[in-house]
Amino acid sequence: MPGPYDVVVIGGGPGGYNAAIRAAQLGLKTACIEKRAVKDAVAFGGTCLNVGCIPSKALLFASERFEDASKHFASIGIKVTPEIDLPGMMGHKERTVDQLVKGVSFLFKKNKVDPYFGTGRIVSATQVELTGPDGTKETLETKNIIIATGSEVMPLPGVTVDEKVIVSSTGILSLSEVPKRLTVIGAGIIGLELGSVWRRLGAEVTVIEYLDRIVPGVDGDVAKEFQKILTRQGIKFKLATKVTKAEPGASGVTVTMEPAAGGAAETLETDILLVCIGRRPFIEGLGAKEAGVAIDKRGRVETDGHGRTNVPGIWVVGDVTTGPMLAHKAEDEAMAVAELIAGKAGHVNYDVIPSVVYTHPEVASVGKTEDELKAAGVAYKTGKFPFTANARAKTVAEKDGFVKIIADAKTDRVLGCHIIGPEAGNLIMEVAVAMEFGASSEDIARTCHPHPTLTEGVRQAALGVDNRIMQM
Ligand code: FAD
Ligand code: NAI
């Protein structure tokens, strides 16, 4: 019987592989079990590396370069006539994924994590049964188990994903040709990122959203500006609309929808239908419930806020538990749980988890939105600065978007920041670090920012909290 281990991690995504590496670094004898296979070999890296963050960002990068070359280069004095080589783009995506997936196995070897290929099932707080790809079973003895089994696509009643014409986020990453018409159900992060990829490559994209706004959870001002920009780029939106049925036929898919509040149904024909209405925790076959682990009404493994489940010795990280379904949140929890198991002080600051939508322009946020603060009755001030007034944005031919900083009305402590604009995903980190240190907007405003950079937009927004913007 292999082991005994100090830690057995079930699931090899950003939550699982980071937990395993950190635990091993802390001197704990660690195993990580992953069931995902690519070409009959184990593929660590989870949703993120295999069918999520990484392949989507590779395609976002390539399609954005194509759009730059075809639409934007001329305005800065470069004449080119680019052509799409879709197999070439897919090759870039596949190489990127392959290298990073292999990188996890390399890191396991380097840090002495024992990798296991197969499905893990919790038998008790000290035993995990492993079923290998050929069906053979063995039991791993362990002092601690970390559940890191991630999430899966949320199904939509009446719409059956076949990964051919009705696709999930996985199928949309591997289309063999650019569809003439792409319809997306859900104006969330996946719909807007992957809708943007195929729009840039030539598809007519229509996004159907149940709510009367896009990207719920994102600051309202930012969402409005975002919708305006995406509409200008050519994406069509049908808001406050619900899809009731989708039927594949000879000429694509017939989508039936009706107003969310009720009313007459209408249909739309499309070549490809992407379903992306959210993700749900994945615990199928895990044996967690049977082992007494508490699961909440939404199917998430419950924790005490520090990764402990109700069963001593069983821990949880990542998408399968509460909180935003983001790779970096899973990674933070992974580090914290490994450190807690090793008797150290691990913690995650759930108030400072940045979120980025990798469209162009990017949308990034950290901390509270105005709506959340209003609902909580917190008095706040805001400072807002548009990129039209930022020198660097002008030099790089960017004009859309703004930075908004929200600070406590009494203490001036920064409570949130919301950015739509070029490099928003990088710009947000200055404010995230400031928030980790409990900074005020005055602290950001008094920090010297290099000229000419987009970061000056962040500084001007911070000055704006006290009505002291100088460059507008
Ligand atoms: P996962 O990555 O889902 O990993 C869980 C792993 O556990 C899987 O590989 C699964 O096969 C394995 N597993 C499950 N059950 C068992 C079992 N019983 N035995 C063995 N193995 C098992 N997040 C970001 O932060 N930035 C992004 O840009 C981003 N882009 C995304 C794009 C797309 C298209 C999608 C779908 C998601 C994206 N995400 C992004 C979300 C991100 O992928 C997840 O938040 C992240 O992968 C969660 O990590 P995890 O380790 O909790 O779970
Ligand atoms: P999402 O939660 O971001 O968006 C789903 C959207 O679908 C919402 O706008 C919701 O109102 C809408 N919706 C729900 N039911 C609907 C229905 N029946 N009809 C029409 N619309 C409906 O979920 P999405 O886009 O599937 O992404 C899942 C998760 O993956 C994200 O929440 C995020 O955690 C993660 N992700 C993160 C990325 C990033 O960080 N850049 C990129 C992609 C995914």
Side-chain angles (χ1 to χ4, degrees), residues 2 28 42 52 81 89 110 127 163 179 245 264 304 468:
L28 301 169
V42 63
T81 312
M89 269 188 201
K110 184 176 166 204
Q127 284 188 327
E163 297 296 13
K245 204 166 48 173
D304 65 347
R468 282 158 43 213

Side-chain angles (χ1 to χ4, degrees), residues 11 14-15 34-35 46-48 52-53 57 120 149-150 318-319 325-328:
E34 172 57 57
K35 66 182 172 62
T47 304
C48 178
C53 328
K57 266 78 251 179
T149 49
D319 280 12
M325 288 185 170
L326 296 171
H328 42 281

Side-chain angles (χ1 to χ4, degrees), residues 52 66 167 175 208 216 271 276 295 355 371 424:
F66 172 71
V167 297
L175 298 183
I208 304 171
D271 299 307
C276 46
I295 312 288
S355 168
D371 284 344

Side-chain angles (χ1 to χ4, degrees), residues 153-157 185-186 275-279:
V153 172
M154 180 96 77
L156 177 60
I185 311 180
V275 187
C276 46
I277 58 161
R279 294 180 62 81

Side-chain angles (χ1 to χ4, degrees), residues 10-17 33-36 43 45-54 56-57 118-121 148-151 169-170 173 190 193-194 279 282 284-286 317-320 324-330 356 358:
I10 308 178
Y17 77 73
I33 304 174
E34 172 57 57
K35 66 182 172 62
R36 186 183 302 269
T47 304
C48 178
L49 265 55
N50 290 280
V51 289
C53 328
I54 298 306
S56 61
K57 266 78 251 179
T119 303
R121 186 176 68 85
T149 49
S151 61
S169 57
T170 301
L173 291 167
I190 292 181
E193 286 188 352
L194 291 164
R279 294 180 62 81
F282 183 79
E284 205 182 296
L286 176 67
V317 298
D319 280 12
V320 71
M325 288 185 170
L326 296 171
H328 42 281
K329 174 263 193 186
V356 182
Y358 296 87

Side-chain angles (χ1 to χ4, degrees), residues 34-237:
E34 172 57 57
K35 66 182 172 62
R36 186 183 302 269
V38 173
K39 292 186 193 127
D40 295 333
V42 63
F44 288 104
T47 304
C48 178
L49 265 55
N50 290 280
V51 289
C53 328
I54 298 306
S56 61
K57 266 78 251 179
L59 291 182
L60 278 156
F61 171 77
S63 61
E64 197 181 327
R65 297 291 83 75
F66 172 71
E67 181 151 273
D68 277 347
S70 50
K71 294 195 181 151
H72 305 143
F73 277 6
S75 69
I76 55 167
I78 303 169
K79 287 188 189 169
V80 282
T81 312
E83 208 179 305
I84 297 168
D85 166 15
L86 194 55
M89 269 188 201
M90 292 295 169
H92 160 63
K93 177 201 75 174
E94 277 148 28
R95 280 190 305 278
T96 311
V97 168
D98 187 54
Q99 284 164 12
L100 290 169
V101 166
K102 286 190 178 130
V104 176
S105 290
F106 164 80
L107 290 173
F108 277 1
K109 215 175 194 171
K110 184 176 166 204
N111 290 286
K112 300 191 173 54
V113 173
D114 289 349
Y116 285 91
F117 183 13
T119 303
R121 186 176 68 85
I122 300 171
V123 178
S124 70
T126 57
Q127 284 188 327
V128 177
E129 180 190 74
L130 169 74
T131 306
D134 59 358
T136 53
K137 291 189 191 298
E138 58 183 317
T139 303
L140 309 187
E141 297 285 334
T142 183
K143 290 185 187 144
N144 294 278
I145 295 169
I146 301 179
I147 300 172
T149 49
S151 61
E152 61 176 348
V153 172
M154 180 96 77
L156 177 60
V159 182
T160 308
V161 170
D162 60 14
E163 297 296 13
K164 289 190 181 87
V165 285
I166 303 183
V167 297
S168 71
S169 57
T170 301
I172 196 74
L173 291 167
S174 299
L175 298 183
S176 54
E177 57 185 69
V178 178
K180 187 171 172 323
R181 301 161 300 180
L182 168 66
T183 300
V184 175
I185 311 180
I189 311 189
I190 292 181
L192 300 182
E193 286 188 352
L194 291 164
S196 291
V197 164
W198 294 102
R199 191 228 15 102
R200 291 168 186 164
L201 301 182
E204 291 163 17
V205 177
T206 304
V207 179
I208 304 171
E209 165 63 46
Y210 185 80
L211 300 176
D212 60 1
R213 56 163 289 172
I214 68 169
V215 281
V218 167
D219 173 87
D221 269 355
V222 170
K224 268 192 211 134
E225 178 78 0
F226 194 24
Q227 189 183 335
K228 230 192 292 170
I229 294 168
L230 292 173
T231 303
R232 201 171 69 219
Q233 291 175 353
I235 293 183
K236 293 198 181 88
F237 289 97

